[in-house]
Amino acid sequence: MPARILIVEDSPLVTDAFRVLFTAVGYEVDSAATVAEAIEQATSAPVDMMLLDLSLPDGNGLEILKVLRKRGSLPRSTLAMTGHNDLASRRSCLEAGCADVLLKPVPIAELLRQIEHHLA
Amino acid sequence: MSMSDRVGSAPKKRHKALEAQAEEAQRTIDELRARDALKTQFLSNVSHDLRTPLAAIITHAEILRDGMLGELNQKQRDSVAGIVNGGQQLIDMIDEILTYVRSASDQVILARSDFNITELVDQVRSLNQPLAAKKHLTIERLNGDDLPPVYADRDKVKHVLGNLIGNAIKFTSDGGRIWIGFSRRGREREQLVVEVGDTGRGIARDHYELVFREFAQVDASPSRPHHGTGLGLAIARNLVELHSGTIWVESELGKGSRFFFTLPLNPARD
């Protein structure tokens, strides 16, 4: 069965681009544009990889991990994506349980390599 | 009214007038500060909002370029690669504006640590090597093998070095030289002076200050040969000053430039 990727991102343009990419390489793709939607998606079926944008309209993306941890529905792996690479936000992502933090826009070869690596 | 009353009222009036003027000046300063903060916030928001659709464009173009939706012929691949490269350049410029806005409005929090400056310089040299090689430029490190650690924000210092070396590459003609050297100063030699020099076209003495001003390029005409945000040296200055350091240039037209900046060393580890 193909791995399920959940794209958590409030820009439909970015979500569409990722959907095209992940579908092309054979992943099953779902998306959420808010913290609430992401929690709902991740609890409805197990997620293998969550790609997490940090600034969402209804809160910080890391809130999702807190809630999912309590509910025992954490994805197998989570990669955070951020527009600015500062040490403090990197640290809080790793402390919250993200496997790594990627700087947007992530070159697709690098993104696919990271996903493959963390799903292995 | 007595003579003494009249003598006393004139200075009082002048004093009141001066007070009113000072209040008015303070109001103007406050208003200008508020407007400046608003402009900074606007610039930051616009830059951030430009970044998102650009990231989507680049991802779509990369998907096409890498043949993930079917193989392209060489011409199609080259054309799509042009979209990726152009988009990436725009992202870099937007990031430069965001860095400037943050560094100019005290939004930068320094994450200081002890680190080896020569290793960092070598890393920035090798990052810039491909660009330098295109113009047959050499980038040498002259000394620095025995320096104690620098106590500073490594990423910010890397940014300063990147901007200075990038500028040197931009303004040095084919076959020229770029170098990075170190010296120490202060009563206990507690300050490190980093020099980034080049054999480029140089800067006139009148422009020594101008080059560190935001949006300033010595040649600002639309037909100027070197485009960019004009923020590289302003950012370098802000980041160096956040470390309580100073940055300056010595140059001679036609012969080259030497940019210097200071950083605190950790003498305890000397």
Side-chain angles (χ1 to χ4, degrees):
Chain A
M1 218 168 75
R4 180 180 183 227
I5 296 187
L6 177 62
I7 306 164
V8 184
E9 163 68 60
D10 65 334
S11 159
L13 284 172
V14 174
T15 302
D16 283 351
F18 285 150
R19 189 186 294 280
V20 172
L21 173 66
F22 299 142
T23 311
V25 290
Y27 289 120
E28 188 192 321
V29 185
D30 279 303
S31 64
T34 61
V35 169
E37 269 178 45
I39 292 169
E40 194 187 315
Q41 288 269 10
T43 38
S44 68
V47 171
D48 296 298
M49 169 60 69
M50 180 159 73
L51 282 186
L52 190 59
D53 181 20
L54 296 185
S55 64
L56 296 167
D58 56 342
N60 186 312
L62 297 180
E63 290 295 315
I64 299 166
L65 287 171
K66 262 191 210 162
V67 175
L68 293 181
R69 178 168 286 117
K70 273 188 199 154
R71 294 188 187 177
S73 312
L74 275 178
R76 257 171 74 199
S77 186
T78 298
L79 287 169
M81 291 187 301
T82 161
H84 43 92
N85 191 10
D86 65 273
L87 216 64
S89 70
R90 185 178 171 79
R91 200 173 295 146
S92 51
C93 287
L94 297 179
E95 280 170 8
C98 297
D100 209 338
V101 186
L102 308 175
L103 185 64
K104 290 200 280 189
V106 193
I108 60 168
E110 167 70 10
L111 181 58
L112 293 176
R113 194 169 47 242
Q114 286 276 356
I115 291 175
E116 212 170 295
H117 170 72
H118 289 291
L119 285 181
Chain B
M1 191 186 285
S2 73
M3 185 70 175
S4 63
D5 278 348
R6 264 179 284 155
V7 169
S9 69
K12 261 185 199 166
K13 270 187 187 167
R14 266 206 304 278
H15 185 72
K16 275 203 166 166
L18 278 175
E19 265 183 0
Q21 274 177 14
E23 275 173 24
E24 179 62 27
Q26 190 56 50
R27 265 198 300 277
T28 310
I29 290 169
D30 291 347
E31 198 179 310
L32 286 173
R33 280 209 180 114
R35 278 193 208 172
D36 191 49
L38 202 66
K39 191 190 72 190
T40 302
Q41 190 57 48
F42 172 75
L43 207 56
S44 173
N45 291 350
V46 169
S47 302
H48 184 263
D49 289 351
L50 284 173
R51 220 178 178 281
T52 304
L54 246 182
I57 291 171
I58 294 173
T59 303
H60 276 296
E62 281 187 311
I63 293 167
L64 286 174
R65 181 199 61 191
D66 294 357
M68 309 198 75
L69 301 177
E71 277 308 308
L72 303 185
N73 66 36
Q74 189 61 47
K75 280 184 183 169
Q76 290 166 331
R77 224 180 354 256
D78 289 348
S79 177
V80 178
I83 300 174
V84 175
N85 294 339
Q88 193 54 56
Q89 249 181 55
L90 266 176
I91 289 262
D92 291 345
M93 287 170 79
I94 291 169
D95 286 349
E96 197 75 344
I97 294 172
L98 274 170
T99 306
Y100 168 71
V101 169
R102 292 199 181 111
S103 70
S105 59
D106 298 333
Q107 287 180 36
V108 175
I109 299 163
L110 294 181
R112 291 183 201 251
S113 63
D114 281 341
F115 65 90
N116 184 325
I117 183 83
T118 48
E119 266 178 32
L120 182 67
V121 163
D122 288 345
Q123 196 188 338
V124 181
R125 275 168 66 212
S126 69
L127 281 171
N128 281 279
Q129 206 58 56
L131 211 59
K134 278 187 188 166
K135 294 177 78 176
H136 309 289
L137 304 172
T138 55
I139 311 179
E140 306 162 66
R141 175 166 65 78
L142 303 180
N143 55 359
D145 286 328
D146 49 0
L147 287 173
V150 157
Y151 183 65
D153 184 320
R154 192 178 184 280
D155 285 344
K156 306 293 180 298
V157 176
K158 187 178 175 188
H159 202 119
V160 173
L161 284 166
N163 285 7
L164 293 180
I165 294 175
N167 257 16
I169 294 174
K170 204 192 271 187
F171 294 108
T172 304
S173 319
D174 277 29
R177 269 182 68 228
I178 294 166
W179 63 90
I180 298 105
F182 304 99
S183 56
R184 294 175 66 170
R185 71 177 196 186
R187 193 174 288 176
E188 292 173 32
R189 302 171 74 230
E190 72 282 6
Q191 272 193 329
L192 177 70
V193 182
V194 185
E195 171 186 351
V196 178
D198 65 61
T199 57
R201 65 185 202 195
I203 299 159
R205 188 172 285 271
D206 296 353
H207 292 144
Y208 280 10
E209 282 298 315
L210 175 78
V211 295
F212 291 106
R213 264 189 236 155
E214 46 280 90
F215 306 112
Q217 291 204 337
V218 172
D219 178 1
S221 66
S223 59
R224 67 192 188 275
H226 304 288
H227 291 265
T229 54
L231 288 173
L233 290 176
I235 289 171
R237 184 199 56 201
N238 289 346
L239 295 179
V240 167
E241 286 177 357
L242 277 168
H243 286 89
S244 308
T246 48
I247 187 166
W248 71 98
V249 64
E250 292 171 11
S251 181
E252 202 175 329
L253 268 181
K255 291 202 171 165
S257 304
R258 294 164 70 201
F259 283 87
F260 301 88
F261 65 95
T262 60
L263 286 174
L265 283 170
N266 188 345
R269 306 268 308 273
D270 207 342

